[in-house]
């Protein structure tokens, strides 16, 4: 039969005739019936062929999907088993179902009708599943239909537009018929795929690239190719190679219709691994290099150079160009989802250099000039650069995760880190052009990429110090720290309306920055401080000191100091008394920013924990996720009671928390009331007021922060977060390293100065010239948080405390508060010592005329102007003075009360042995004796508390017995006689108390408990029983006085229940099913164990 002639004569009749001939049918209805019969005879295997268009319904499953682009169609989703999984209903923008695809979906989540395509069904063996007559006719019809597509797809020279549209309509009909045949049977798919060899596919892609097809035809071709790539693994690899070869041409004629092809080709690990080694185009570069170079050329084509950097132009005409940038970034991300591709990147210097070139090209884009005279009337949002950089960083997230995996080594990461460090050093302006009060940019993509890829487990490991120093030249972390701090300062300035004349553009950029990049800059500062500290440890040469760099970056506009010689920030601190070159408002803003930043750098460990906590890293995830989750829940619930969905929305999606994990974390720190959760006392104890703004995204959520402060003020907690001993510390090793990186700084001196200044500001409010720290209570709150972090940090040296904490044992210097002068009548002003008899006035130095203020000697002492005391003792005295002076800041007022921060510091210093330190020693003494004393003291306190508890219970029993009569009183006396056998009888010292089974003393996590029997009191007299009937009863308490650990008591009762099981209950004097058990020593009756713990801990026991 001459099919070509028939198709030329009447296309519709010929197409119908080909279907009738294929199935040996006489009508279309019979074709449909036989096609359904053939489809039903096929085995239940292969990937689901369902495709969806824009705004279709699909389902995600966080437990089954391999990445966020995977989904199941509704039919497969409801047929599969997803019980207990985290699922989500979504609207699609195109794509296909991933059910049955082992590269996209967990096999446990497949529906019964789909699975990975067996090799035999993707080969000539699949033809055996077809009836012999159908197999023969298909071998004749299907190649003919493919040839018709070839013929009709080629444009005809000189044809008119209407003729071209008719021709392409025929192409769409042929592609639709071939797609339908491929969905019917494995054998028919194989025959079609055999006709689609590389040469034909390349020719078809040429038609697409040359824009020889209309949009509708291109969309139909896309669906056809997607189906066969989806259901045939062999065709997918073949077509992927052709697609990669023509990728540069495809992207030159970019169209949104081709967007679904790359995701289904590049996201398959086996395909991606094959493509990265395949030369693309005539230059021999791989697909990764090709995509990166296309990115670079597209960025350069859409940007203009200016004196202050690059700025996007022609935004209205660049929409397609921007879509192309996003498409390239997405394709790069799809390839990097394969771990083999990530390993290839770490081993290929050319790919690394291309990545660095792309990110370096975006360095400090969209630089803003601060308008100081006239307001900007019409400004642009300038969101495009943020969106493009965010898409690129998101695309490289799989590579960053690969660098942070637990089994990664510094040896394999060294070349990648070195390439990024060299790229930063060679980026124009990196070492000498920083944000300042006049110009600023929010864009530092390359150093943020470096931070994103840092493996913090390797960073905190002391064994790799020399390798880290080899990777990073000293100027690189110093300059990166300066850039990060200045960008954070720009955000603080914009938040304080310092850039108000720039219009809404700066506010929009600030919001985008806070949402996308702020956490990376904070982590950059942390990484750079550790790197600078490692260099100081590895080399005796002078190097930049982190605190000096922080001060320089926060309070000035000067560039990176050329010399790495140690700077003295305290000198700059003292100069703030006389600063005249810039406005006092700006000095105060920068001063507050410095302390806020320092507190965040030492305290904000949640971003680090989240980036190192992925479900695929099971060991690390299982150990850290519960702590991270509890801290997020605590911070979220501090503002207001929230429902379960509201809490879940505040937890980072990167944690991929399961429902049972979420429930356990909620039960640990919160209670449920009317569908909303509120914090328990244990949760409030871990609430950190200095973490609220950072946790809630800094996007105008000030109202929630204020609610958290108000709610925290009603709790008996310091609001400074948990102690290390509470078990909720975040990234403690990194936090210790950050504190130790400042051990050679003047942080302790500045902190003590700040406390002195606060006293000075309280007691001498009339001084004409004040230091910015004298009245800034918000900055002072951050200072106290820093002091708390210094004391909580621990090291293997200095008796377990940090080197900065050890400096608190040193005596105060002989100087007064910086800038203060004492005037003695009849003598010249002096700043060192004074006479107690003739001291009468004090004034503040500076360029202005001295202002004399009458003072009292007591005020002068309270203001901290006396010297010679140990620093930690002086701090407690100053805090007490500030408490007495009062504060307008509610949080600070509560924090300064004696039972809050002072008590917390005192407990920590006592545990470190500070009271045994002589004034000449600079380090804490051996804490072994101190720990033993503290232990004995705690045990004695518990013993006294237990005695008081027993007396209270005895008094309650006597009072109740008196109301029921004398006979009940006798019974009560008998009961109390049992209770009076207190566990401390015969024990002289609580430190000697031991468990009756394991003979060990009490432990913090496993305290001793007294065995007791608690039950309803039953009077012995029948008359009293009749009288008490219908009245409210009370409990009877008795105890043999023997002690067991809480854990030992639980094990003993469990063993008793196991022994009783299977025996007659009547043989025993107790009922094990009710939790009763005998004392292991005296066999007395017991049903509970009362822990001997501190009051605050006892109240929180659940």
């Amino acid at each position: 039969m001459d099919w070509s002639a028939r198709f030329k004569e009447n296309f519709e009749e010929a197409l119908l005739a080909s279907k009738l001939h294929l199935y040996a049918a006489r009508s279309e209805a019979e074709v449909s019936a036989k096609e359904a019969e053939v489809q039903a005879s096929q085995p239940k295997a292969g990937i689901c062929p369902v495709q969806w268009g824009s705004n279709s319904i699909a389902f995600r499953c966080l437990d089954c999907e391999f990445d966020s682009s995977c989904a199941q169609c509704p039919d497969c989703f409801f047929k599969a088993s997803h019980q207990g999984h985290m699922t989500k209903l979504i609207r699609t923008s195109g794509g296909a179902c991933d059910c049955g695809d082992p590269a996209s979906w967990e096999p446990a989540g497949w529906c019964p009708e789909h699975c990975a395509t067996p090799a035999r069904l993707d080969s000539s063996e699949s033809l055996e599943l077809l009836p012999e007559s159908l197999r023969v006719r298909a071998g004749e019809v299907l190649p003919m239909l493919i040839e018709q597509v070839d013929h009709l797809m080629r444009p005809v020279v000189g044809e008119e537009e209407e003729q071209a549209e008719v021709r392409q309509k025929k192409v769409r009909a042929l592609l639709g018929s071939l797609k339908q045949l491929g969905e019917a049977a494995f054998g028919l798919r194989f025959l079609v795929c055999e006709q689609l060899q590389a040469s034909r596919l390349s020719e078809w892609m040429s038609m697409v690239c040359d824009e020889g097809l209309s949009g509708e035809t291109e969309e139909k071709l896309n669906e056809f190719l997607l189906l066969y790539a989806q259901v045939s693994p062999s065709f997918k690899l073949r077509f992927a190679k052709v697609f990669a070869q023509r990728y540069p041409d495809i992207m030159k004629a970019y169209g949104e219709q081709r967007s679904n092809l790359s995701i289904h080709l590049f996201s398959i690990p086996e395909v991606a691994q094959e493509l990265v080694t395949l030369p693309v185009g005539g230059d021999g570069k791989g697909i990764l290099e090709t995509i990166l170079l296309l990115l670079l050329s597209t960025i350069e084509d859409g940007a203009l150079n200016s004196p202050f950097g690059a700025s996007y132009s022609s935004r209205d005409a660049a929409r397609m160009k921007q879509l192309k940038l996003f498409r390239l970034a997405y394709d790069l991300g799809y390839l990097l989802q394969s771990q083999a591709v990530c390993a290839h990147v770490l081993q290929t210097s050319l790919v690394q250099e291309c990545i660095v070139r792309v990110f370096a090209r975006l360095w400090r884009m969209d630089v803003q000039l601060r308008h100081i005279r006239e307001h900007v009337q019409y400004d642009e949002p300038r969101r495009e650069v943020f969106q493009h950089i965010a898409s690129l960083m998101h695309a490289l997230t799989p590579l960053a995760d690969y660098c942070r995996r637990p089994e990664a080594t510094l040896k394999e990461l060294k070349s990648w880190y070195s390439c990024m460090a060299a790229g930063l050093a060679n980026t124009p302006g990196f070492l000498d052009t920083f944000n300042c009060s006049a110009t600023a940019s929010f864009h530092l993509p390359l150093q943020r990429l470096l931070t994103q890829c840092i493996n913090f487990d390797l960073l905190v490991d002391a064994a790799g110090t020399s390798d880290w120093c080899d990777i990073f030249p000293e100027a690189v972390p110093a300059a990166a720290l300066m850039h990060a701090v200045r960008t954070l300062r720009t955000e603080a300035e914009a938040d304080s309306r310092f850039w108000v004349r720039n219009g809404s553009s700066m506010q929009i950029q600030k919001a985008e920055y806070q949402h996308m990049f702020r956490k990376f800059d904070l982590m950059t500062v942390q990484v750079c401080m550790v790197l600078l500290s490692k260099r100081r440890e590895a080399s005796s040469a002078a190097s930049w000191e982190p605190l000096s760099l922080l001060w320089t970056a926060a309070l000035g506009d000067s560039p990176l100091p050329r010399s790495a010689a140690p700077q003295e920030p305290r000198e700059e601190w003292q100069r703030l008394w006389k600063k005249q070159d810039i406005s006092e408002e700006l000095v105060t803003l920068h001063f507050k920013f410095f302390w806020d930043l320092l507190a965040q750098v030492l305290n904000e460990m949640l971003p680090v924990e989240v980036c190192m906590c992925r479900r695929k890293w099971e060991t690390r995830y299982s150990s850290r996720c519960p702590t991270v989750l509890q801290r997020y829940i605590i911070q979220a619930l501090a503002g207001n009671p929230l429902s379960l969905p509201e809490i879940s929305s505040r937890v980072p999606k990167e944690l991929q928390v399961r429902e049972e994990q979420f429930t356990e974390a909620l039960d640990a720190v919160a209670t449920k009331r009317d569908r909303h959760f509120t914090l328990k006392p244990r949760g409030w104890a871990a609430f950190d007021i200095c973490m609220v703004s950072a946790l809630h995204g800094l996007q105008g959520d000030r109202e929630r922060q204020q609610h958290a402060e108000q709610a925290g003020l009603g709790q008996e907690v310091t609001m400074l977060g948990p102690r290390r001993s509470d078990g909720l510390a975040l990234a403690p090793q990194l936090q210790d390293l950050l504190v130790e990186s400042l051990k050679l700084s003047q942080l302790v001196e500045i902190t003590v100065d700040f406390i002195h200044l606060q006293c000075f500001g309280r007691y001498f409010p009339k001084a004409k010239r004040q230091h910015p720290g004298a009245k800034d209570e918000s900055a002072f709150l951050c200072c106290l948080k820093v002091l708390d972090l210094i004391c909580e940090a621990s090291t293997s040296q200095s008796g377990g405390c940090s080197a900065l904490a050890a400096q608190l044992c040193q005596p105060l210097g002989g100087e007064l508060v910086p800038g203060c002068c004492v005037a003695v009548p009849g003598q010249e002003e002096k700043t060192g010592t004074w006479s107690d008899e003739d001291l009468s006035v004090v004034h503040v130095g500076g360029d202005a005329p001295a202002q004399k203020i009458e003072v009292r000697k007591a005020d002068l002492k309270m203001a901290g102007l006396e010297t010679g005391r140990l620093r930690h003792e002086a701090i407690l005295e100053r805090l007490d003075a500030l408490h007495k002076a009062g504060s307008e800041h509610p949080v600070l007022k509560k924090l300064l009360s004696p039972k809050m921060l002072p008590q917390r510091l005192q407990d920590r210093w006592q545990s470190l042995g500070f009271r045994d330190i002589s004034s000449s020693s600079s380090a804490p003494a051996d804490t072994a004796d101190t720990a033993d004393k503290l232990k004995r003291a705690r045990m004695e306190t518990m013993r006294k508390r237990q005695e008081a508890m027993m007396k209270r219970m005895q008094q309650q029993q006597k009072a109740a017995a008196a109301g029921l009569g004398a006979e009940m009183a006798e019974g009560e006396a008998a009961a109390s006689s049992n209770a009076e056998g207190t566990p401390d009888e015969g024990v002289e010292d609580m430190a000697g108390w031991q468990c009756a089974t394991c003979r060990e003393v009490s432990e913090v996590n496993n305290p001793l408990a007294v065995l007791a029997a608690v039950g309803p009191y039953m009077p012995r007299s029948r008359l009293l029983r009749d009288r008490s009937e219908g009245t409210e009863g009370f409990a009877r308490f008795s105890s043999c006085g023997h002690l067991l650990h809480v854990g030992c008591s639980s094990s003993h009762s469990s063993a008793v229940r196991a022994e009783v099981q299977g025996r007659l209950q009547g043989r025993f004097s107790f009922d094990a099913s009710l939790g009763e058990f005998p004392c292991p020593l005296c066999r007395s009756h017991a049903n509970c164990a009362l822990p001997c713990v501190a009051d605050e801990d006892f109240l929180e026991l659940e």
Side-chain angles (χ1 to χ4, degrees):
M1 182 181 298
D2 188 1
W3 287 102
S4 298
R6 294 192 63 178
F7 271 99
K8 287 181 181 180
E9 292 175 3
N10 192 321
F11 178 84
E12 288 77 10
E13 290 184 1
L15 184 59
L16 176 59
S18 65
K19 293 181 181 179
L20 296 174
H21 177 69
L22 177 65
Y23 287 105
R26 297 180 181 180
S27 65
E28 289 190 62
E30 189 176 354
V31 168
S32 300
K34 289 191 174 183
E35 187 176 64
E37 182 181 348
V38 171
Q39 191 169 5
S41 66
Q42 301 297 301
K44 301 295 184 181
I47 300 173
C48 177
V50 172
Q51 298 181 17
W52 42 61
S54 178
N55 214 30
S56 298
I57 291 177
F59 288 88
R60 287 182 58 192
C61 176
L62 300 183
D63 293 270
C64 295
E65 66 184 23
F66 286 0
D67 59 74
S68 59
S69 65
C70 302
Q72 266 186 330
C73 66
D75 186 49
C76 293
F77 177 82
F78 289 111
K79 289 180 180 178
S81 175
H82 294 286
Q83 186 175 3
H85 292 187
M86 292 188 65
T87 59
K88 185 178 181 181
L89 176 67
I90 62 172
R91 291 283 184 176
T92 68
S93 58
C97 179
D98 291 301
C99 185
D101 187 355
S104 304
W105 208 260
E106 287 286 352
W110 294 343
C111 75
E113 298 182 2
H114 301 113
C115 66
T117 304
R120 65 182 183 85
L121 297 181
D122 193 31
S123 65
S124 58
E125 293 184 29
S126 62
L127 296 174
E128 298 176 1
L129 300 174
L130 297 175
E132 185 176 356
S133 58
L134 178 60
R135 189 190 317 159
V136 173
R137 290 191 295 271
E140 174 189 352
V141 173
L142 294 181
M144 178 270 301
L145 294 177
I146 297 292
E147 289 177 0
Q148 287 297 317
V149 174
D150 284 341
H151 173 70
L152 293 173
M153 194 176 287
R154 297 188 185 96
V156 178
V157 179
E159 68 177 346
E160 297 180 357
E161 184 176 349
E162 294 182 359
Q163 294 175 330
E165 176 56 32
V166 171
R167 174 175 56 81
Q168 296 201 35
K169 184 177 180 181
K170 296 177 180 179
V171 172
R172 294 196 292 271
L174 286 169
L175 292 174
S177 297
L178 289 169
K179 178 176 177 288
Q180 184 178 358
L181 291 172
E183 294 172 346
F186 289 99
L188 298 179
R189 296 177 196 171
F190 174 75
L191 291 175
V192 173
C193 290
E194 282 297 294
Q195 298 297 315
L196 300 177
Q197 296 301 317
S199 57
R200 175 170 277 147
L201 291 171
S202 181
E203 184 179 354
W204 286 8
M205 296 310 296
S206 297
M207 302 280 186
V208 174
C209 297
D210 295 338
E211 300 183 0
L213 302 179
S214 64
E216 293 183 19
T217 306
E218 186 176 334
E219 181 180 0
K220 207 68 177 180
L221 177 62
N222 179 53
E223 295 176 0
F224 169 77
L225 295 173
L226 179 58
L227 169 74
Y228 283 92
Q230 189 177 358
V231 299
S232 174
S234 60
F235 174 75
K236 179 182 292 185
L237 181 58
R238 185 191 317 147
F239 176 58
K241 291 180 179 180
V242 174
F243 187 84
Q245 291 281 355
R246 304 306 303 267
Y247 189 83
D249 299 327
I250 293 173
M251 295 311 299
K252 284 181 182 178
Y254 173 71
E256 296 186 49
Q257 301 298 338
R258 282 156 259 166
S259 61
N260 288 334
L261 291 177
S262 57
I263 183 175
H264 287 277
L265 300 176
F266 294 166
S267 61
I268 307 303
E270 297 80 6
V271 175
Q273 186 176 0
E274 185 82 18
L275 294 181
V276 294
T277 58
L278 180 71
V280 176
D283 53 6
K285 293 184 175 65
I287 185 65
L288 285 174
E289 297 95 314
T290 300
I291 293 176
L292 290 166
L293 292 176
L294 285 171
L295 272 168
L296 185 62
S297 63
T298 306
I299 292 172
E300 291 177 342
D301 188 34
L304 296 175
N305 293 327
S306 71
F308 298 98
S311 175
Y312 269 78
S313 64
S314 304
R315 288 178 170 84
D316 293 338
R319 171 170 171 75
M320 190 55 67
K321 191 180 300 181
Q322 292 172 9
L323 292 176
K324 181 179 177 181
L325 281 174
F326 287 127
R327 180 74 267 148
L328 290 166
Y330 292 153
D331 289 349
L332 179 63
Y334 297 146
L335 288 168
L336 290 173
Q337 287 175 5
S338 168
Q339 291 199 359
V341 176
C342 293
H344 173 79
V345 172
L346 297 183
Q347 298 168 5
T348 310
S349 59
L350 181 59
V351 178
Q352 297 173 9
E353 293 170 2
C354 290
I355 295 174
V356 169
R357 287 178 60 190
V358 170
F359 278 77
R361 182 61 183 81
L362 295 167
W363 182 260
R364 297 195 80 236
M365 292 195 76
D366 233 351
V367 173
Q368 304 289 293
L369 291 174
R370 187 169 73 91
H371 294 265
I372 58 177
R373 294 186 178 181
E374 297 181 357
H375 286 276
V376 175
Q377 298 297 326
Y378 303 99
D379 56 342
E380 299 179 7
R382 300 176 183 268
R383 287 191 174 119
E384 293 86 352
V385 184
F386 284 96
Q387 295 169 353
H388 292 322
I389 295 178
S391 67
L392 283 173
M393 292 193 67
H394 180 73
L396 269 73
T397 298
L399 178 62
D401 287 345
Y402 187 78
C403 295
R404 295 193 299 256
R405 71 193 195 282
E407 61 271 16
T409 62
L410 191 54
K411 182 179 180 181
E412 68 171 316
L413 300 177
K414 189 172 183 179
S415 63
W416 173 225
Y417 289 163
S418 299
C419 182
M420 287 189 285
L424 280 173
N426 296 326
T427 298
F430 175 73
L431 297 175
D432 52 21
T433 305
F434 301 90
N435 282 6
C436 62
S437 299
T439 61
S441 171
F442 285 107
H443 303 297
L444 311 171
L446 184 53
Q447 80 174 33
R448 289 171 188 154
L449 175 64
L450 174 57
T451 301
Q452 189 182 21
C453 294
I454 287 291
N455 189 314
F456 286 90
D457 287 344
L458 298 176
L459 183 66
V460 300
D461 187 2
T465 299
S466 59
D467 290 331
W468 286 107
C469 294
D470 293 339
I471 293 171
F472 293 96
E474 187 178 14
V476 171
L481 184 145
M482 288 277 289
H483 279 293
V485 173
R486 290 284 175 82
T487 307
L488 289 165
R489 193 185 76 172
T490 301
E491 175 233 350
E493 291 175 350
D495 201 42
S496 300
R497 312 298 293 178
F498 185 65
W499 291 71
V500 66
R501 294 184 186 273
N502 284 55
S504 62
S505 171
M506 202 64 178
Q507 296 301 315
I508 292 173
Q509 291 186 75
K510 181 202 70 174
E512 295 286 343
Y513 168 75
Q514 291 171 344
H515 176 64
M516 297 178 182
F517 303 134
R518 189 183 191 278
K519 64 178 180 180
F520 292 110
D521 286 347
L522 197 61
M523 292 165 64
T524 298
V525 178
Q526 294 169 337
V527 170
C528 293
M529 288 175 62
V530 174
L531 291 175
L532 290 172
S533 175
K534 287 181 177 293
R535 180 165 290 277
R536 292 176 72 97
E537 294 176 3
S539 174
S540 58
S543 59
W544 280 284
E545 197 279 312
L547 187 67
S548 298
L549 288 175
L550 285 175
W551 182 271
T552 302
L555 279 93
D557 286 340
S558 59
L560 180 70
R562 294 294 182 183
S563 172
Q567 292 110 25
E568 301 294 340
R570 197 179 186 202
E571 296 179 3
E572 295 295 327
W573 167 275
Q574 296 175 7
R575 290 195 186 101
L576 290 179
W577 285 90
K578 307 176 182 180
K579 201 116 181 179
Q580 302 287 344
D581 53 340
I582 54 179
S583 68
E584 182 178 349
E585 180 183 358
L586 188 58
V587 172
T588 303
L589 172 62
H590 290 172
F591 179 83
K592 181 183 181 300
F593 166 73
F594 168 77
W595 284 105
D596 190 32
L597 173 65
L598 185 59
Q600 289 188 49
V601 168
L602 299 180
N603 185 49
E604 289 287 353
M605 300 294 133
L606 279 172
V608 175
E609 288 278 19
V610 171
C611 77
M612 297 295 291
C613 198
R614 297 287 188 272
R615 187 186 294 279
K616 54 190 173 185
W617 307 327
E618 186 57 39
T619 303
R620 184 196 288 159
Y621 182 86
S622 59
S623 64
R624 296 306 305 161
C625 187
T627 300
V628 178
L629 191 56
Q630 287 184 40
R631 292 297 297 275
Y632 264 104
I633 292 174
I634 289 169
Q635 296 298 127
L637 290 179
N640 276 323
L642 299 174
S643 64
L644 186 62
E646 290 173 328
I647 302 173
S648 178
S649 66
R650 295 180 180 271
V651 176
K653 304 303 180 185
E654 296 90 335
L655 290 179
Q656 297 179 322
V657 180
R658 289 192 175 97
E659 184 176 355
E660 56 270 21
Q661 290 176 296
F662 204 79
T663 303
E664 290 176 4
L666 273 173
D667 291 341
V669 299
T671 56
K672 187 176 182 180
R673 297 177 183 175
D674 299 330
R675 298 183 181 180
H676 286 77
F677 289 86
T678 57
L679 284 180
K680 295 180 179 178
R682 177 179 182 270
W684 275 113
F687 170 62
D688 190 345
I689 191 65
C690 296
M691 195 185 291
V692 172
S693 59
L695 181 63
H696 292 311
L698 291 170
Q699 294 196 32
D701 207 356
R702 300 183 187 275
E703 184 179 354
R704 176 164 291 277
Q705 183 176 353
Q706 292 173 358
H707 288 168
E709 291 180 3
Q710 292 297 326
L713 291 173
Q715 303 292 326
E716 290 298 321
V717 293
T718 63
M719 295 193 289
L720 289 180
R723 299 180 181 183
R724 287 290 179 89
S725 57
D726 296 337
L728 289 176
L730 298 170
Q733 287 182 292
L734 177 62
Q735 198 171 50
D736 292 341
L737 277 180
L738 290 170
V739 173
E740 283 299 295
S741 70
L742 302 174
K743 64 183 179 182
L744 299 180
S745 71
Q746 298 175 330
L747 179 57
V748 171
E749 290 91 332
I750 292 178
T751 302
V752 176
D753 282 349
F754 201 171
I755 299 175
H756 282 238
L757 284 171
Q758 284 285 311
C759 290
F760 183 85
R762 298 289 201 286
Y763 285 89
F764 306 119
K766 296 181 180 180
K768 184 176 181 180
R769 188 68 177 167
Q770 292 276 10
H771 190 282
K775 295 185 178 180
D776 194 333
E777 295 186 327
S778 297
F780 186 54
L781 176 62
C782 296
C783 173
L784 295 181
K785 176 63 179 180
V786 170
L787 176 63
D788 180 68
L789 292 170
I790 289 174
C791 298
E792 284 291 324
S794 62
T795 62
S796 58
Q797 303 174 353
S798 301
C801 73
S802 65
L804 289 177
Q807 295 177 22
L808 294 172
C809 290
Q810 296 176 353
L812 290 168
E815 74 281 3
L816 299 176
V817 175
C820 285
C821 294
V822 176
V824 181
Q827 301 182 25
E828 295 183 357
E829 298 173 358
K830 52 185 178 179
T831 59
T833 58
W834 58 89
S835 170
D836 291 341
E837 290 77 15
D838 58 7
L839 177 61
S840 61
V841 294
V842 64
H843 70 83
V844 178
D847 298 335
Q851 179 189 11
K852 296 188 176 182
I853 308 169
E854 294 294 331
V855 297
R856 296 175 302 170
K857 177 183 174 183
D859 288 342
L860 200 61
K861 180 178 180 181
M862 295 301 288
L865 301 186
E866 82 284 13
T867 60
R869 304 296 304 278
L870 294 180
R871 283 171 177 157
H872 68 279
E873 295 175 348
I875 287 174
L876 291 177
E877 291 181 359
R878 307 299 181 270
L879 294 180
D880 182 61
L882 288 170
H883 170 64
K884 293 177 180 178
S887 172
E888 296 181 359
H889 196 294
V891 177
L892 194 59
K893 182 178 180 180
K894 177 181 181 179
L895 194 61
L896 292 172
S897 60
K899 292 186 177 181
M900 292 300 165
L901 178 63
Q903 184 63 47
R904 178 166 169 144
L905 293 175
Q906 211 166 2
D907 292 344
R908 177 59 178 165
W909 291 339
Q910 187 178 11
S911 68
L912 295 174
F914 275 21
R915 291 191 174 183
D916 299 329
I917 299 295
S918 62
S919 60
S920 61
S921 174
S922 61
D926 186 7
T927 59
D929 295 338
T930 304
D932 187 56
K933 293 178 182 178
L934 289 174
K935 182 177 181 181
R936 288 198 297 270
R938 286 194 298 267
M939 297 293 286
E940 177 66 19
T941 302
M942 285 191 290
R943 185 184 69 79
K944 292 180 180 179
R945 189 174 292 115
Q946 185 182 17
E947 287 181 353
M949 180 184 67
M950 299 288 288
K951 289 180 181 179
R952 287 196 301 268
M953 296 181 68
Q954 183 177 352
Q955 291 172 357
Q956 293 173 359
Q957 291 172 349
K958 288 181 179 180
L964 293 176
E967 187 172 348
M968 181 176 291
E970 294 177 2
E972 176 58 29
S976 64
S977 64
N978 292 333
E980 288 173 357
T982 54
D984 62 306
E985 210 168 283
V987 180
E988 297 181 357
D989 189 358
M990 190 174 179
W993 290 8
Q994 294 180 344
C995 176
T997 57
C998 68
R999 315 308 297 174
E1000 297 290 339
V1001 297
S1002 180
E1003 300 175 358
V1004 176
N1005 297 325
N1006 193 18
L1008 288 173
V1010 58
L1011 296 183
V1014 181
Y1017 177 73
M1018 297 295 294
R1020 296 178 181 178
S1021 169
R1022 181 177 179 181
L1023 177 61
L1024 290 178
R1025 287 199 298 269
D1026 293 340
R1027 289 180 181 177
S1028 61
E1029 185 176 357
T1031 63
E1032 185 177 357
F1034 55 91
R1036 176 180 180 273
F1037 175 88
S1038 64
S1039 173
C1040 65
H1042 293 127
L1043 299 172
L1044 271 73
H1045 283 122
V1046 172
C1048 295
S1049 173
S1050 177
S1051 300
H1052 173 64
S1053 61
S1054 299
V1056 169
R1057 286 195 298 272
E1059 182 181 359
V1060 171
Q1061 190 175 7
R1063 302 185 183 184
L1064 293 176
Q1065 179 63 44
R1067 297 179 56 187
F1068 300 92
S1069 61
F1070 54 88
D1071 191 349
S1073 64
L1074 298 178
E1076 300 175 352
F1077 57 90
C1079 172
L1081 286 184
C1082 64
R1083 311 301 293 175
S1084 296
H1085 177 81
N1087 59 10
C1088 64
L1090 302 180
C1092 303
V1093 296
D1095 284 345
E1096 57 272 17
D1097 296 334
F1098 177 76
L1099 293 175
E1100 291 193 16
L1101 287 175
E1102 299 182 12

